[in-house]
């Protein structure tokens, strides 16, 4: 795919994925269209040659089994996550205040609070009705967090109270209006028929490409849909080419949920989902427990998550000798305190894949006075003992309602991930 084609496909993917649940189902849909078979967890596990995909809530796992796969194989894993910071709807979301109809929300993850004001928000996620049916919902532009006018707010620093000031407006002067009514109407059911839900806000506007010279992408949820999309394109690319036929290793895409809140869930990297997929696949190939451990020892993982680009207005926040920047390739993320799982062996593994793909790469190390975040990498490596490297596209405005990446970096990440899978 060309850069332009990749960008359009990426923006379509973001638009189709306002929540982790949508992202997981969109990955499964595209892989199924590419010839992967849907695997249900309560059915006999398949390690037949070809592609397989499984969805658990907002997480999606896919694996491609080549013809030569056996207990002598290993796993080549790409890890990412489907969730992003946002405003999650509380169980009883509708309330009135001063003549306005509002929606009660809980701050999900490390939200960059000010970025959520004065933009139209969609509500997306899963809804269960009382008949047991599960539905995915994407309302389109529905909510807004209006700022307080500067005439009424003379303080120098904007510090919204997370409880009082982060409740979006839905309507004014129409107390019969409710967010549950809107969602029920979209589903064709009465609000009372809605049994439960997991719903979150996202920026309602489609991503845009802009810039003079180096083209930039502005969109919501790119942390971490940038990595999910690049992983998806890499899996489809390898599975549809002869490269997969010459490889004995099982290729795995693991897109977890709940990374932004610590990964401790049955959908997250701290839960059993990836271990379940690897173990059941090994057993389906005839591996006993000892052989499974040997397969893990032959395996590797690329944990793909967004990286920090140098910010021109805050360059002092970065290490002075490590300045990754948008437009110069994917970033290898290194931290001596193990906030990232990279070590010398896995860094070489990843950067060799970049070289083979003809992709430039950069390195990120944190400023000693500025703590960095973490990823699914150390969590998965700790649980499974599989050598792991942390990488990602350089990004500005991370955890904003609308983030910023480079068009070429997104293309390059997918190409490097494909080279890693090919080996």
């Amino acid at each position: 795919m060309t850069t332009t084609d990749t960008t359009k496909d990426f923006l379509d993917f973001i638009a189709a994925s306002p929540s982790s649940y949508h992202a997981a189902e969109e990955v499964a849909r595209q892989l199924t269209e590419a010839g992967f078979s849907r695997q249900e967890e309560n059915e006999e596990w398949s390690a037949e040659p070809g592609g397989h995909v499984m969805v658990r809530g907002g997480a999606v796992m896919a694996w491609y089994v080549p013809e030569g796969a056996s207990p002598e194989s290993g796993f080549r894993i790409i890890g990412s996550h489907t969730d992003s910071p946002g405003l999650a709807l509380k169980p009883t979301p509708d309330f009135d205040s001063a003549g306005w109809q509002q929606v009660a929300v809980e701050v999900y993850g490390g939200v960059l609070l000010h970025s959520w004001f004065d933009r139209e928000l969609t509500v997306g996620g899963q809804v269960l009705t009382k008949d047991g049916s599960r539905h995915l919902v994407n309302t389109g532009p529905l909510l807004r967090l209006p700022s307080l006018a500067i005439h009424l707010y003379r303080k120098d620093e904007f510090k919204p109270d997370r409880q009082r000031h982060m409740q979006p407006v839905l309507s004014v002067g129409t107390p019969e209006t409710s967010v549950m009514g809107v969602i029920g109407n979209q589903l064709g059911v009465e609000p009372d028929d809605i049994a439960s839900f997991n719903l979150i806000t996202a920026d309602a506007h489609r991503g845009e490409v802009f810039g003079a010279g180096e083209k930039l992408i502005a969109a919501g949820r790119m942390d971490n849909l940038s990595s999910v999309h690049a992983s998806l394109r890499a899996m489809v690319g390898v599975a549809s080419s002869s490269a997969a036929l010459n490889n004995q290793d099982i290729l795995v895409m693991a897109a977890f949920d709940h990374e932004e809140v610590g990964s401790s869930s049955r959908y997250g990297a701290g839960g059993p989902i990836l271990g379940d997929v690897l173990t059941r696949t090994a057993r389906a190939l005839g591996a006993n427990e000892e052989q499974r451990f040997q397969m893990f020892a032959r395996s590797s993982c690329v944990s793909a998550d967004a990286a920090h680009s140098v910010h021109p207005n805050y360059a002092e926040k970065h290490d002075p000798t490590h300045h990754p920047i948008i437009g110069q390739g994917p970033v290898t993320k290194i931290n001596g305190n193990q906030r990232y799982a990279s070590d010398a062996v896995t860094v070489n593994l990843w950067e060799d894949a970049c070289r083979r793909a003809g992709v430039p790469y950069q390195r990120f190390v944190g400023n000693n006075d500025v703590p960095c975040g973490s990823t699914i990498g150390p969590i998965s490596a700790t649980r499974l003992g599989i050598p792991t490297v942390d990488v990602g596209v350089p990004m500005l405005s991370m955890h904003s309602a609308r983030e910023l990446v480079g068009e070429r970096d997104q293309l390059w990440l997918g190409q490097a991930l494909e080279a890693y899978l090919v080996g």
Side-chain angles (χ1 to χ4, degrees):
M1 297 176 74
T2 66
T3 305
T4 301
D5 290 339
T6 298
T7 299
K8 181 183 182 303
D9 192 67
F10 180 38
L11 295 181
D12 288 344
F13 181 75
I14 294 172
S17 306
S19 74
S20 59
Y21 303 98
H22 286 83
E25 292 292 349
E26 180 64 13
V27 168
R29 184 191 69 79
Q30 291 197 29
L31 288 176
T32 301
E33 286 187 356
F36 282 56
S37 300
R38 188 78 175 240
Q39 172 74 58
E40 299 300 331
E41 291 190 78
N42 60 354
E43 296 177 357
E44 184 176 355
W45 201 258
S46 177
E48 291 295 316
H52 310 271
V53 60
M54 178 199 89
V55 173
R56 180 189 289 180
V60 57
M61 304 281 133
W63 56 104
Y64 185 87
V65 182
E67 290 282 351
S70 74
E72 301 299 315
S73 301
F75 296 97
R76 297 188 190 183
I77 305 160
I78 304 173
S80 61
H81 66 88
T82 57
D83 65 319
S84 301
L87 306 175
L89 272 64
K90 291 183 175 180
T92 303
D94 292 298
F95 73 99
D96 290 358
S97 178
W100 288 87
Q101 286 67 56
Q102 293 184 261
V103 176
V105 298
E106 180 178 9
V107 177
Y108 177 89
V111 172
L112 199 59
L113 296 179
H114 69 267
S115 70
W116 288 83
F117 284 79
D118 301 323
R119 65 175 67 247
E120 289 67 54
L121 304 175
T122 186
V123 174
Q126 67 173 354
V127 173
L128 270 71
T129 48
K130 290 179 179 177
D131 63 2
S133 301
R134 176 177 179 265
H135 311 266
L136 292 185
V137 171
N138 182 11
T139 64
L142 184 65
L143 307 180
R144 186 179 174 96
L145 268 173
S147 294
L148 182 65
I150 194 169
H151 313 82
L152 306 175
Y153 191 84
R154 296 286 185 176
K155 297 179 183 178
D156 292 333
E157 190 173 3
F158 176 60
K159 288 186 176 180
D161 183 278
R162 293 160 71 92
Q163 176 63 33
R164 291 185 297 135
H165 301 148
M166 297 301 295
Q167 310 304 317
V169 299
L170 170 70
S171 180
V172 61
T174 53
E176 67 280 4
T177 303
S178 70
V179 69
M180 287 293 97
V182 172
I183 289 169
N185 186 62
Q186 188 174 95
L187 297 178
V189 302
E190 294 298 323
D192 287 345
D193 291 328
I194 296 174
S196 58
F197 55 81
N198 300 106
L199 297 168
I200 195 166
T201 62
D203 179 51
H205 295 280
R206 184 177 173 84
E208 297 284 352
V209 179
F210 72 100
E214 187 71 36
K215 294 300 182 184
L216 305 171
I217 303 172
R221 287 182 36 79
M222 290 194 292
D223 177 10
N224 188 33
L225 292 185
S226 58
S227 299
V228 177
H229 179 262
S231 305
L232 172 61
R233 295 274 62 81
M235 283 290 285
V236 171
V238 174
S240 61
S241 72
S242 59
L245 302 177
N246 302 319
N247 189 347
Q248 289 191 343
D249 286 341
I250 298 101
L251 312 181
V252 180
M253 175 184 175
F256 302 96
D257 200 353
H258 299 146
E259 189 273 347
E260 297 294 355
V261 292
S263 296
S264 294
S265 75
R266 64 186 297 266
Y267 315 108
I273 184 169
L274 177 56
D276 289 349
V277 169
L278 302 185
T279 296
R280 293 180 76 173
T281 302
R283 286 176 178 169
L285 288 170
N288 59 33
E289 185 177 19
E290 171 60 25
Q291 289 172 317
R292 174 173 64 86
F293 280 117
Q294 293 177 19
M295 293 180 75
F296 281 18
R298 287 189 286 267
S299 301
S300 61
C301 176
V302 175
S303 164
D305 203 345
H308 295 292
S309 169
V310 169
H311 195 304
N313 297 333
Y314 302 91
E316 72 280 2
K317 294 291 187 180
H318 289 260
D319 182 80
T321 60
H322 296 82
H323 270 195
I325 191 168
I326 287 175
Q328 294 185 16
V331 177
T332 311
K333 302 156 71 173
I334 301 167
N335 182 262
N337 293 303
Q338 298 302 298
R339 301 294 288 168
Y340 305 128
S342 310
D343 63 17
V345 173
T346 57
V347 166
N348 183 60
L349 173 74
W350 167 250
E351 293 182 352
D352 177 66
C354 291
R355 290 188 290 269
R356 286 188 284 106
V359 167
Y361 55 87
Q362 313 174 74
R363 292 179 178 179
F364 171 85
V365 178
N367 183 313
N368 286 326
D369 290 327
V370 182
C372 69
S374 190
T375 70
I376 61 102
I379 298 171
S380 290
T382 300
R383 281 188 54 80
L384 301 173
I386 292 175
T388 300
V389 62
D390 274 291
V391 308
V393 292
M395 177 180 290
L396 288 178
S397 306
M398 191 180 293
H399 288 200
S400 171
R402 201 165 173 88
E403 298 160 325
L404 183 67
V405 303
E407 190 176 42
R408 290 193 299 169
D409 294 329
Q410 185 64 29
L411 173 68
W412 284 330
L413 178 62
Q415 291 173 336
L417 289 172
E418 187 167 341
Y420 161 72
L421 291 177
V422 171

